[in-house]
Amino acid sequence: MKADTHPQYHTINVKMTDGTEFQTRSTWGTEGATMTLEIDPTSHPAWTGGKQQIQEGGRVAQFNKRFGGLTLKK
């Protein structure tokens, strides 16, 4: 590897939304810095199986819902 071309890889602390902490290695921050997460696997609906947003139809369905009653008849 070339010298001084790669980012510094060091140990940081990660603090989850529920207050738990763990150590990992990363290029983020500086040695010993704490990364505080706003969204993590313990709280995000994608991982917890919370309410899912179901899209009612696609773009065509939205168009027809909005403009479906309009006609060009004289």
Side-chain angles (χ1 to χ4, degrees):
M1 292 189 333
K2 292 182 180 179
D4 301 326
T5 58
H6 299 283
Q8 193 69 12
Y9 194 62
H10 48 269
T11 304
I12 64 166
N13 298 318
V14 178
K15 185 174 183 182
M16 307 284 268
T17 57
D18 63 356
T20 58
E21 293 187 26
F22 64 92
Q23 287 188 338
T24 189
R25 293 180 50 83
S26 175
T27 58
W28 179 86
T30 58
E31 179 76 29
T34 300
M35 177 188 285
T36 305
L37 300 179
E38 296 176 4
I39 298 174
D40 62 33
T42 61
S43 65
H44 195 277
W47 290 288
T48 60
K51 183 180 177 184
Q52 296 178 358
Q53 295 179 349
I54 298 174
Q55 194 178 47
E56 293 183 16
R59 301 296 293 169
V60 174
Q62 289 177 356
F63 180 85
N64 288 335
K65 181 179 176 185
R66 192 168 179 192
F67 300 109
L70 297 177
T71 61
L72 298 174
K73 294 181 182 177
K74 292 182 180 181

